[in-house]
Amino acid sequence: MPQESPPTSSPRRRAPGVRRRRGLATLAALALSTGLLAACGSEGKPTLTWYLNPDGQATFEAFAEQCSTDEYDIQTRLLPTSATDQRVQLARRLAAEDGQTDLMNLDPVFVPEFANAGWLLELPDDTVTDDTLEGIAETVRWEDEIFAAPLWANTQVLWYRKSLAREAGLDMSQPVTWEQVIDAADSVEGATVGVQGNKYEAYVVWINAMIEGAGGTIIENPEAGVDAEVMLDTDAARQAARIIETLADSSAAQGDLSVSNEGTALAYMYGDGPGSFMTNWTFVYKNFEPGDANDYTQEQFDDLGWTRYPRSVEDQESAPPVGGIDIGVGAFSQHPDFARQAAACITSVENQVELAVTDGLMPATQSAYDAPELAEAYPPDLLELFRTSVDEGGPRPKSAFYATISSAIQARWHAPSDVDPETTPERSQEFLQAVLEGKALL
């Protein structure tokens, strides 16, 4: 078995764009090589397996090529679309101590659970530096150690049609509240407000952002695990429920509200009618930018506006959602040093810039935000809005029991049309508390 180099070594990378040969010739060569190496008592060049989420898949596959070296190759495996399903797939493999789960893309909210379970290897302290955006740096720490490397830092802003805002008489030069946005859309026939209302993780992202924006939180002391204090029977949670109720009862609600997601909401922006206001992630800008991959016109693109995430209450700044992807190294990897090297390569500043320019998935470092390529690809005010929204956002609870917390909230807050500010927060408080104490099952 070959010896792995220490993490500080500098293996030679494969040049960008060079594709590994595939097909019968490669298989034949591999078979011959394997036979020769076996005869010499060696297992051959290792291959690291990297589990990907679908966002930016083609770019990730190019990173795998670029970060393969003379000492190891990186192959990719695709995870399901939803963050919840991605967690389940990875948890199953790691619970079985799978030695071939070397690298994995993780929603930041699942890093505490995986680290607490002993499924992730610690990474060097310099994985996070002063260059890392403050809003994403904390997502990779658990019990004062670093267990993942930030790759991209996601956040949500309010996207809208400028023509719709003008017709509704809503001044977008000033901070806006959810109530104002819903009223504005409700005042224009055919206009809508796009959110993520399906029974999945992004629905909890929305609920959490509104509670945080009203000065509350879902749980206090989340690192205490099952002993954390549930904070859902509060005025902040009732304000979040009131916003959901108001939207669900208005003509601004999209017809598929109860199953809406990041993708379905896009169709309402330039469909028939005046368009929409929509809270959604950073990829939206590149999605609507005219190009070979879509039919959007420059006139439509010029009508696209953006501003900070809506306020839950008028006199308090909003708390935009914080998301993204961190790279974790599997605790049972047979090649831990190679995997750590690969994680550092994949999350390089150069790759973060490439991911932002190509896929609209924004960087986790200030130096990447300062790159001239981003200045060419995005308006300066939008770059500043993305960066400040990450640093001033409202993260979801940092708990090893987050998956349980999220599922319990979904169980009591879905569907949006059933949310009642007088009963839903109290019912969800009791249910989540019982689930954490082991007195109720999901």
Side-chain angles (χ1 to χ4, degrees), residues 234-247:
T234 61
D235 288 342
R238 278 184 279 278
Q239 178 62 13
R242 193 170 296 111
I243 293 168
I244 296 174
E245 179 187 53
T246 300
L247 176 59

Side-chain angles (χ1 to χ4, degrees), residues 245-329:
E245 179 187 53
T246 300
L247 176 59
D249 289 347
S250 79
S251 65
Q254 295 177 348
D256 57 354
L257 174 62
S258 65
V259 294
S260 61
N261 59 43
E262 295 90 337
T264 61
L266 297 171
Y268 291 85
M269 186 64 76
Y270 295 113
D272 295 335
S276 69
F277 298 90
M278 172 180 67
T279 51
N280 211 332
W281 303 100
T282 60
F283 78 95
V284 168
Y285 184 82
K286 287 296 178 184
N287 179 81
F288 288 138
E289 188 176 45
D292 295 338
N294 62 56
D295 296 324
Y296 298 115
T297 66
Q298 188 62 45
E299 182 180 6
Q300 289 176 317
F301 192 53
D302 290 342
D303 196 28
L304 181 67
W306 49 82
T307 192
R308 180 157 172 151
Y309 199 78
R311 294 184 174 189
S312 298
V313 291
E314 186 174 3
D315 59 352
Q316 183 165 328
E317 192 56 272
S318 64
V322 176
I325 285 294
D326 299 329
I327 302 292
V329 173

Side-chain angles (χ1 to χ4, degrees), residues 335-360:
H335 311 286
D337 292 337
F338 288 161
R340 286 189 176 101
Q341 289 175 4
C345 176
I346 291 167
T347 57
S348 69
V349 170
E350 294 78 9
N351 283 348
Q352 292 183 27
V353 171
E354 175 68 21
L355 199 56
V357 171
T358 305
D359 301 286

Side-chain angles (χ1 to χ4, degrees), residues 46-386:
T47 297
L48 306 179
T49 301
W50 176 19
Y51 284 90
L52 310 173
N53 56 302
D55 304 302
Q57 180 186 351
T59 305
F60 286 147
E61 290 174 348
F63 290 173
E65 290 278 349
Q66 295 167 19
C67 291
S68 292
T69 73
D70 292 342
E71 295 175 302
Y72 57 84
D73 285 323
I74 303 172
Q75 64 178 357
T76 61
R77 293 287 183 268
L78 192 61
L79 292 166
T81 301
S82 81
T84 301
D85 291 338
Q86 292 164 20
R87 169 194 166 273
V88 170
Q89 292 293 326
L90 291 170
R92 285 173 175 163
R93 302 196 72 87
L94 293 167
E97 301 187 0
D98 176 30
Q100 296 183 349
T101 303
D102 301 292
L103 298 156
M104 69 201 84
N105 286 12
L106 280 174
D107 185 316
V109 80
F110 296 128
V111 171
E113 177 189 9
F114 281 38
N116 191 63
W119 292 343
L120 297 176
L121 290 182
E122 290 180 28
L123 298 184
D125 289 344
D126 62 2
T127 301
V128 174
T129 68
D130 291 343
D131 191 35
T132 309
L133 297 187
E134 183 179 349
I136 202 69
E138 274 306 305
T139 68
V140 299
R141 289 194 177 94
W142 181 249
E143 295 183 342
D144 299 326
E145 303 292 344
I146 295 173
F147 284 96
L151 176 56
W152 89 68
N154 216 346
T155 188
Q156 291 197 4
V157 304
L158 177 64
W159 305 95
Y160 61 94
R161 290 271 295 273
K162 296 174 183 175
S163 55
L164 170 59
R166 283 195 299 270
E167 184 174 356
L170 186 59
D171 180 4
M172 302 305 291
S173 67
Q174 301 297 319
V176 294
T177 65
W178 276 103
E179 181 180 2
Q180 289 174 314
V181 171
I182 295 169
D183 286 348
D186 194 44
S187 71
V188 178
E189 185 175 355
T192 62
V193 176
V195 295
Q196 291 80 54
N198 197 6
K199 191 176 183 180
Y200 74 142
E201 176 57 27
Y203 185 44
V204 181
V205 170
W206 181 30
I207 294 168
N208 180 73
M210 290 188 293
I211 292 174
E212 292 271 338
T217 187
I218 289 176
I219 55 175
E220 287 282 4
N221 194 20
E223 297 190 11
V226 296
D227 295 323
E229 184 178 2
V230 180
M231 301 292 291
L232 285 169
D233 189 14
T234 61
D235 288 342
R238 278 184 279 278
Q239 178 62 13
R242 193 170 296 111
I243 293 168
I244 296 174
E245 179 187 53
T246 300
L247 176 59
D249 289 347
S250 79
S251 65
Q254 295 177 348
D256 57 354
L257 174 62
S258 65
V259 294
S260 61
N261 59 43
E262 295 90 337
T264 61
L266 297 171
Y268 291 85
M269 186 64 76
Y270 295 113
D272 295 335
S276 69
F277 298 90
M278 172 180 67
T279 51
N280 211 332
W281 303 100
T282 60
F283 78 95
V284 168
Y285 184 82
K286 287 296 178 184
N287 179 81
F288 288 138
E289 188 176 45
D292 295 338
N294 62 56
D295 296 324
Y296 298 115
T297 66
Q298 188 62 45
E299 182 180 6
Q300 289 176 317
F301 192 53
D302 290 342
D303 196 28
L304 181 67
W306 49 82
T307 192
R308 180 157 172 151
Y309 199 78
R311 294 184 174 189
S312 298
V313 291
E314 186 174 3
D315 59 352
Q316 183 165 328
E317 192 56 272
S318 64
V322 176
I325 285 294
D326 299 329
I327 302 292
V329 173
F332 311 104
S333 170
Q334 297 176 20
H335 311 286
D337 292 337
F338 288 161
R340 286 189 176 101
Q341 289 175 4
C345 176
I346 291 167
T347 57
S348 69
V349 170
E350 294 78 9
N351 283 348
Q352 292 183 27
V353 171
E354 175 68 21
L355 199 56
V357 171
T358 305
D359 301 286
L361 305 172
M362 303 309 291
T365 56
Q366 181 60 52
S367 57
Y369 263 98
D370 292 339
E373 294 92 334
L374 260 69
E376 293 179 9
Y378 293 93
D381 64 320
L382 184 57
L383 285 177
E384 182 62 14
L385 177 61
F386 286 159

